[in-house]
Amino acid sequence: MARIAVIGAGMGAMAAAARLAVAGHRVAVYERTDTYGGALRRLERDGFAFDTGPGLLPLPAVYRDLFVKTGKEPLEACVDLVQVDPSSHHVFADGTRVSLPNASRAGVVSALHEALGPAAGQRWGDFLVRAREAWDRTRRPLLEEPLWPNWRVLADREPYPAVPHKKLLRTRTAGTLAEIGAWELRDPRLISLLGSYALEHGLDPRSTPASAAVLPYMEHAFGTWYVRGGMRELARAVYERCVARRVEFHFGAEVTGVLEKDGRVAGVEFTEGPSPVSGAGPGGGAVAEADHVVAGVTPAVLDRLTRGTRVRGDGEVLGRTGAASRLTVLLALRGGRPEGTPHRTVVHAEDREAELESLTGSPASLPARPTVTVLRPDDPALVPDDAHEAVTLTSVVPTGAGPGLDEHAQRMITAAERAVPGLRDRLVRHEVRTPADIAEATGAEGGAVPVPALAAAGGRLLHPSNRTRVPGLFTVGGWSHPGGGLPHAGMSGALVAGLIVEGPEFRGSQ
């Protein structure tokens, strides 16, 4: 039985902790804040409750597998998991609207055929065939296996297939999502739809590799889900599974250093020592000895904890992309949720180019009509009574954005009126959650939100390996392989547990 110290209580860290505890190890989690879940937080006030982090769950199979592997009760016995249908409703700049069914590629094509015309439906269907090919080529190395030592194969080769051109008697391979839109989709509404899957993660379609076609494919193929009571309930269920497996949690315990001895990891150090600890570290703080350390932190924090040692084997190449952040506006509304209201509506920006340019600018440069995702859950647990509604708006903003965000929140509310008629007349109050709030919850500088791993682009959207150059030190969560997002966090936990339990020969799930 090994002693394992886990830094952070985010979803990836807790997924690793539960799996390691079931394997017979003694696991202790040290979290600097007063609660678990990382970005999965909840705000409750006057009978209203809001998710302040992710509001939906893609690929629930990741957490189903976690619960199957760590106990007798399956995921559905611990949370009420609901498939969202339609998966999304879209309001385009020209006023066109379309609802896309959940987990039905054929249904999505049919809906686009009906709303945008036969040519649009056919083009999106053809695109999904190519997106599936990119998915099949990258699924295992990007999601199910530790990062390959020869990761350059993923970095330099675009898995999205070339498209033949009958008139030109040649093929043409799109290098970015924008090129897919311009060359293959053509309809500005389809281009906006495709771009929204990148923008959701703070990515610019003009520079995002064509391999990101897997993002809409995953949603159309595997569906989108919601946890009743709010997504915070998923974090609660994973935390309780950890506790049931005898994982120790220490909250308010900020790790200030990772210790090494004889060329391998030896434990973690604290300014003020949580119990149990033993001895004192080189910085004078208390120490918790460990045979392995699992760090669920950002690369910058890991560098600080290891006192500048270059511990990540691929750190100087991978994960170099700048991540964006999110602005969230929580709306308490009078009047109940109308029957048949879509759970998620995406209101598309009127000026896409201006919005994309703003991702690297200041709040003052943010567009007057941004792309806004409107979440309207059909969930009595979130409201004081059926005469009220809890609505959440999200929009992508630059990292570190601060002054000027209140004005942008008002722009978001104005844009959301296209999805919620009479919104301002129904408004009881609103609250704004900024990148600074994300930074406080997750420790990410500027409130950055990590992106999922994607192939091509020279490795810019790959993430460093879960293994480090220091034997016994591993990384987990959105800032390491396979990147950001709830399912990716769960996958990272499975990979780290496999590497510790089975050793370097571990090759992922079969």
Side-chain angles (χ1 to χ4, degrees):
M1 178 178 70
R3 298 165 300 176
I4 299 176
V6 178
I7 306 173
M11 296 300 287
M14 290 197 295
R19 290 176 181 271
L20 289 166
V22 166
H25 299 296
R26 180 179 175 182
V27 184
V29 176
Y30 301 99
E31 166 60 43
R32 64 179 182 85
T33 72
D34 61 357
T35 189
Y36 53 83
L40 276 182
R41 301 296 178 95
R42 175 161 48 201
L43 177 69
E44 297 182 11
R45 189 163 297 164
D46 300 331
F48 291 90
F50 303 90
D51 286 318
T52 60
L56 293 168
L57 176 65
L59 282 177
V62 173
Y63 288 92
R64 290 190 178 113
D65 181 71
L66 172 65
F67 277 72
V68 166
K69 299 291 176 55
T70 59
K72 296 181 180 179
E73 288 185 314
L75 176 63
E76 279 81 354
C78 302
V79 297
D80 187 1
L81 197 61
V82 180
Q83 192 172 29
V84 174
D85 202 9
S87 175
S88 60
H89 181 76
H90 292 264
V91 181
F92 295 106
D94 67 353
T96 305
R97 294 171 178 260
V98 61
S99 290
L100 304 182
N102 203 336
S104 173
R105 285 170 286 169
V108 166
V109 171
S110 177
L112 292 172
H113 176 111
E114 184 69 23
L116 309 185
Q122 180 66 44
R123 287 175 185 146
W124 191 262
D126 293 342
F127 157 71
L128 286 181
V129 171
R130 294 186 286 273
R132 177 176 181 175
E133 188 170 337
W135 166 259
D136 289 340
R137 290 174 176 176
T138 60
R139 173 180 59 86
R140 284 195 59 80
L142 282 185
L143 300 181
E144 298 176 1
E145 299 176 348
L147 187 67
W148 290 350
N150 60 335
W151 55 267
R152 270 288 172 194
V153 175
L154 294 171
D156 298 334
R157 182 179 302 172
E158 173 56 66
Y160 187 80
V163 179
H165 291 261
K166 295 179 181 178
K167 293 182 179 180
L168 301 178
L169 298 178
R170 63 181 178 85
T171 60
R172 180 167 57 181
T173 302
T176 66
L177 281 187
E179 289 176 344
I180 291 176
W183 298 350
E184 300 171 25
L185 299 179
R186 304 176 194 171
D187 187 304
R189 296 161 297 185
L190 291 184
I191 293 171
S192 185
L193 174 61
L194 176 62
S196 69
Y197 288 95
L199 186 63
E200 179 183 2
H201 298 284
L203 296 171
D204 185 340
R206 299 171 301 183
S207 58
T208 300
S211 64
V214 300
L215 299 175
Y217 173 79
M218 287 166 62
E219 180 170 306
H220 296 342
F222 306 116
T224 303
W225 304 72
Y226 172 70
V227 178
R228 289 208 180 276
M231 293 301 299
R232 173 70 177 176
E233 287 296 292
L234 178 64
R236 173 203 51 83
V238 176
Y239 168 72
E240 291 181 353
R241 176 56 54 90
C242 286
V243 172
R245 301 283 80 82
R246 301 182 184 275
V247 174
E248 300 175 8
F249 281 85
H250 302 273
F251 295 107
E254 184 167 5
V255 174
T256 55
V258 174
L259 304 179
E260 295 181 44
K261 183 179 180 181
D262 298 329
R264 65 168 290 114
V265 77
V268 292
E269 183 180 15
F270 312 85
T271 301
E272 297 180 2
S275 181
V277 295
S278 58
V287 168
E289 295 179 350
D291 302 299
H292 301 280
V293 173
V294 177
V297 298
T298 68
V301 171
L302 184 62
D303 287 343
R304 188 166 66 248
L305 296 181
T306 55
R307 297 169 175 82
T309 303
R310 297 170 74 92
V311 299
R312 287 180 180 248
D314 305 307
E316 51 275 64
V317 178
L318 302 182
R320 294 176 301 176
T321 183
S325 188
R326 296 190 181 101
L327 188 67
T328 303
V329 183
L330 313 174
L331 306 176
L333 304 184
R334 64 176 61 89
R337 178 183 185 273
E339 186 176 354
T341 296
H343 186 117
R344 173 177 57 168
T345 297
V346 179
V347 180
H348 292 255
E350 295 178 2
D351 189 339
R352 292 181 64 253
E353 292 299 314
E355 179 169 52
L356 297 177
E357 291 294 334
S358 75
L359 290 180
T360 56
S362 66
S365 71
L366 291 171
R369 293 289 186 271
T371 296
V372 176
T373 298
V374 183
L375 297 182
R376 304 178 70 182
D378 182 12
D379 191 344
L382 306 185
V383 291
D385 52 52
D386 59 8
H388 292 86
E389 184 179 5
V391 176
T392 301
L393 314 180
T394 57
S395 182
V396 174
V397 297
T399 54
L405 289 182
D406 286 339
E407 180 181 350
H408 191 63
Q410 292 299 323
R411 298 177 193 141
M412 291 169 60
I413 293 173
T414 298
E417 288 185 291
R418 300 179 69 194
V420 189
L423 188 159
R424 289 190 182 274
D425 293 335
R426 297 176 56 196
L427 188 60
V428 177
R429 73 164 182 279
H430 77 278
E431 185 156 343
V432 179
R433 309 297 287 180
T434 69
D437 295 308
I438 296 175
E440 173 60 28
T442 67
E445 184 177 357
V449 177
V451 301
L454 295 171
R460 183 170 51 85
L461 294 174
L462 296 176
H463 292 262
S465 172
N466 308 104
R467 290 173 287 207
T468 73
R469 290 176 176 171
V470 179
L473 175 61
F474 300 85
T475 63
V476 74
W479 297 101
S480 58
H481 182 71
L486 280 175
H488 295 72
M491 293 171 193
S492 76
L495 291 174
V496 168
L499 288 168
I500 292 176
V501 173
E502 297 187 27
E505 69 277 6
F506 176 68
R507 292 294 179 268
S509 58
Q510 299 298 323

